[in-house]
């Protein structure tokens, strides 16, 4: 997946003790890093929609990759990851599906 034409469909849990307020996953402004468990590589994403965040509860969310120079191919269905802001782990999640976008007009 070298291009950025895909959506990461996942479930995420954000931790109460790491944030004072829950992020809005629907306004396109929450851009943390995903770090695959057992890896150190940071994968920048932009959450574009999801359920309202309730701390310590698993919710559905969708995110887009943001860095054209990063290889996101390790993100596959079933991949477990951490959600990182700066150097702080604020949550975790699992990839449920990678939805590949098709160019306009392609069937």
């Amino acid at each position: 997946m070298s291009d950025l034409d895909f959506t990461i469909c996942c479930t995420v849990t954000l931790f109460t003790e790491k944030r004072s307020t829950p992020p809005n996953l629907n306004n396109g402004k929450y851009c943390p890093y995903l770090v695959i468990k057992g890896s150190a590589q940071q994968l920048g994403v932009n959450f574009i929609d999801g359920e309202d965040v309730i701390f310590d509860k698993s919710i559905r969310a969708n995110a887009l990759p943001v860095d054209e120079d990063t290889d996101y191919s390790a993100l596959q269905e079933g991949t477990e990851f951490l959600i990182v802001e700066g150097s702080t782990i604020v949550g975790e999640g699992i990839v449920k599906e990678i939805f590949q976008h098709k160019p306009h007009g392609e069937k």
Side-chain angles (χ1 to χ4, degrees), residues 4-104:
L4 302 181
D5 290 335
F6 63 94
T7 299
I8 304 157
C9 306
C10 54
T11 57
V12 297
T13 303
L14 288 135
F15 304 140
T16 302
E17 68 275 6
K18 299 298 181 175
R19 288 186 56 97
S20 57
T21 59
N24 182 336
L25 302 184
N26 297 299
N27 64 7
K29 295 181 180 178
Y30 184 54
C31 300
Y33 289 100
L34 304 185
V35 177
I36 296 171
K37 289 184 177 181
S39 168
Q41 182 183 16
Q42 294 187 328
L43 306 169
V45 297
N46 180 0
F47 280 92
I48 55 169
D49 63 33
E51 297 177 277
D52 290 340
V53 172
I54 299 172
F55 284 127
D56 303 315
K57 179 181 183 289
S58 180
I59 60 165
R60 290 174 291 159
N62 297 311
L64 297 174
V66 296
D67 186 0
E68 292 182 19
D69 297 325
T70 298
D71 179 8
Y72 290 83
S73 64
L75 286 176
Q76 300 293 324
E77 186 175 321
T79 302
E80 296 182 11
F81 57 84
L82 302 171
I83 302 169
V84 179
E85 296 175 8
S87 62
T88 304
I89 297 170
V90 298
E92 63 185 359
I94 186 168
V95 176
K96 293 297 186 182
E97 178 184 8
I98 299 294
F99 178 77
Q100 192 69 45
H101 304 167
K102 293 182 180 176
H104 182 69

